[in-house]
Amino acid sequence: MSENFDRPEIRKPENLIYSRTKVLTDNIMHYCPGCGHGTAHRILAEVIDEMGIQNDTIGVAPVGCSVLAYNYLDVDMAEAAHGRAPALATAIKRLNPNKFVFTYQGDGDLAAIGTGETIHACNRGEKIVIIFINNGIYGMTGGQMAPTTLEGMKTATCPYGRDISIMGNPLKMTELVSHLKGTYYVTRQSVQTPASVRKTKAALRKAFEYQKDGKGACFVEIVSSCNSGWKMTPVQANKWMEENMFPFYELGDIKVDGELVK
Amino acid sequence: MKELKLMKGNEAIAEAAIRCGMDGYFGYPITPQSEVLEYLMAEEPYKRRTGMAVLQAESEVASINMVYGGAASGKMVMTSSSSPGFSLMQEGMSYIAGAELPCLVVNVQRGGPGLGTIQPSQADYFQATKGGGNGDYKVIVLAPASVQEMADFVQLGIDLAFKYRNPALILSDGVIGQMMEKVELAEQKERLTDEQVAERCPWALTGKKPHRGHNIITSLDLDSSRQEKFNEKLQAKYREIEKNEVRFEEISCEDADYIAIAFGSSARLCQKAIDLCRAEGIKLGLLRPITLYPFPYAPIEKLAQRVKGFLVVELNAGQMIEDVNLAVKGKVQVEHFGRMGGIIPTPDEIVAALKTKILGGK
Ligand SMILES: Cc1ncc(C[n+]2csc(CCOP(=O)(O)OP(=O)(O)O)c2C)c(N)n1
Ligand code: SF4
């Protein structure tokens, strides 16, 4: 393959089918091989690139495995305290209404410690995009139980499996926010296959287009694997996700144009 | 145009915020400071005046993080609260200090601990001046003693915050927040345009520009040696603040044998106590720290070389007295007089405390 790259007659713009978006930096990502974060970053960057809004976008990534997202996404970005990204984004958007503002949050962040900020930002209809990476676990801190951890699923803080009677139920945050008046677009997607990546990218594009049109809060959940936390190979993790996560966290649009579709 | 008005301290803060060109206020109701948000909501500056954003947040945790977001984008932003709410803001204060962002925070103190009381107090001195959140950081702390200073310190606080890229705090109390006084309000300033903000704050999140890489606002660095270097940089900034920004007022100190040291509403009480003392021939003076951080150690140390004793008067169990002791270094007697739980002492009680604690023995 490398020989082809050295052949200038092939390296012509008209032959280019795919290249890395300039909205991703050259930094080597710290994510575990197989992790969904990297793919989610890439398609987010591609959407920003394709919409031509790199210089008008401000992102907020709070504590979680993606806290260093600012090293990879070549847009102005803030790191937020655990759970607080929607509060930051609220002020950034209100004070800079012409900018595109997004948050990128894990499930522990968005659905546990930051539940209040998430619900209220959505309910106020803040004109922001919330990207919610649901991997059913706390990746960064070493695989503890998240609010989204499935019943029976083993984590470092529920080593015998999540016992609903003691630890409560997995939280469907996305369904919850879809019932709030302030949300305009709510969807649940995934990034484990080329087809799902394309769908998620289209969903992100839609969310940013809605923001461009000044619509309400757009909420894109991405069910994603944390193969390290789940203690699986990337291939096993994707299979496990399809067999266990998707039946509970059903994929597809939940609210479109401000109307529930599910 | 400058304007003379009769206002509550809390209202003066709100009006001064609009007039100084503040871009955003984010707050949550709590007694005794709710008038700040109420006044702003009644004024509707976003519709009728400067375009300043005002938002009632879902909690103080959210308010301070909205302030963090607004400040990250280079805008002039503020919040206000009272003691229990200010406690909830400490994580955010630490992040803002760690990310080196300018902002203004107001704490109109009430009595604690816990839910305590809605009556005035100065019991958050330690929290304000010694940290409050995690990590080695400092907040510039201004202590107003009048409604006029409530108004003036909004501009001063936000100026200092931007000068040092550091949070500034107005540490007030329920007396100053609720009392009405005449106040001269500054002229209305224009809010900065987005272009002016980008120029003033080249570090801010204003959208990536062709001439610069992307800006990052963070307090995180996992590399310990870099994190230590960053901490050293912060400390150097604090030394600079300590060198340049100490503010205090001396009243009747020239010929004084005894000095009361008090800030905010306590200083007002001490002014009356000076009159009472002097009528009896006791030469009492007052040193009023205006900045609690940086603290006026040097002027107190200087006074300690010639006066006979200090009475530190606070609405708490004895907090600022620790800083006074650091300044006096045992040279002369330092005593504390304070009331707690929202009780405000009379000037007579202060005179009596001076007599029993310092004069009595002699
Ligand atoms: C106030 C606070 N509490 C706890 C932590 C520790 N902590 C860091 S990340 C994290 C959970 C991250 O999980 P999630 O949000 O699901 O993101 P992931 O790492 O799985 O992508 C926790 C508990 C913290 N940084 N701050
Ligand atoms: S721990 Fe999990 S979420 Fe974090 S990078 Fe690794 S796989 Fe991804």
Side-chain angles (χ1 to χ4, degrees), chain A:
Chain A
M1 210 172 70
S2 66
E3 289 145 40
N4 289 345
F5 281 116
D6 296 337
R7 286 167 57 187
E9 69 273 24
I10 289 178
R11 294 184 61 187
K12 284 181 186 156
E14 60 268 31
N15 290 340
L16 182 70
I17 353 182
Y18 181 79
S19 71
R20 197 171 57 84
T21 158
K22 66 174 191 302
V23 179
L24 283 181
T25 65
D26 286 333
N27 295 328
I28 295 166
M29 288 188 185
H30 70 282
Y31 300 116
C32 308
C35 174
H37 276 305
T39 316
H41 281 21
R42 174 171 63 77
I43 53 178
L44 169 61
E46 285 174 359
V47 165
I48 292 169
D49 194 0
E50 286 159 22
M51 287 179 70
I53 57 171
Q54 183 179 15
N55 295 349
D56 295 310
T57 300
I58 300 174
V60 186
V63 175
C65 271
S66 50
V67 68
L68 292 172
Y70 54 67
N71 281 341
Y72 315 128
L73 296 168
D74 192 16
V75 294
D76 279 5
M77 282 196 77
E79 161 251 350
H82 198 15
R84 315 299 171 217
L88 272 76
T90 293
I92 295 173
K93 182 69 185 184
R94 283 180 180 240
L95 297 174
N96 303 274
N98 300 327
K99 295 283 182 284
F100 291 82
V101 179
F102 72 88
T103 69
Y104 185 104
Q105 306 174 250
D107 44 8
D109 187 88
L110 180 141
I113 196 166
T115 315
E117 283 78 4
T118 304
I119 288 186
H120 285 280
C122 286
N123 196 48
R124 284 191 302 262
E126 299 297 343
K127 299 174 180 70
I128 58 175
V129 174
I130 294 177
I131 301 161
F132 168 36
I133 306 294
N134 175 8
N135 55 20
I137 206 161
Y138 285 12
M140 189 191 211
T141 38
Q144 295 83 6
M145 184 177 75
T148 46
T149 297
L150 296 176
E151 181 172 9
M153 186 174 162
K154 288 179 181 156
T155 74
T157 50
C158 50
Y160 312 110
R162 182 174 189 157
D163 180 341
I164 300 293
S165 70
I166 298 169
M167 300 152 190
N169 298 284
L171 182 56
K172 290 187 177 177
M173 199 65 174
T174 306
E175 277 77 359
L176 207 154
V177 301
S178 74
H179 290 282
L180 303 175
K181 271 253 154 61
T183 49
Y184 193 77
Y185 176 51
V186 180
T187 187
R188 182 184 286 120
Q189 303 292 338
S190 66
V191 287
Q192 84 288 9
T193 62
S196 61
V197 168
R198 273 197 297 277
K199 272 194 189 167
T200 308
K201 188 174 162 185
L204 285 172
R205 173 80 190 228
K206 201 169 183 165
F208 277 89
E209 293 286 354
Y210 281 139
Q211 185 171 156
K212 192 176 186 174
D213 298 339
K215 305 295 186 194
C218 293
F219 192 100
V220 181
E221 173 178 339
I222 302 175
V223 183
S224 174
S225 76
C226 171
N227 41 288
S228 291
W230 297 354
K231 308 208 182 319
M232 296 176 193
T233 66
V235 175
Q236 284 169 340
N238 279 348
K239 188 160 179 285
W240 188 88
M241 179 168 68
E242 286 172 359
E243 288 170 1
N244 298 277
M245 297 278 278
F246 293 171
F248 188 79
Y249 297 112
E250 278 178 57
L251 303 186
D253 288 344
I254 300 174
K255 193 177 195 180
V256 182
D257 289 339
E259 300 292 337
L260 287 169
V261 292
K262 235 186 200 167

Side-chain angles (χ1 to χ4, degrees), chain B residues 77-100:
Chain B
V77 285
M78 68 176 291
T79 181
S80 64
S81 187
S82 179
S83 308
F86 185 58
S87 290
L88 271 183
M89 291 184 185
Q90 294 311 315
E91 178 197 42
M93 294 293 284
S94 170
Y95 271 74
I96 292 170
E100 294 203 85

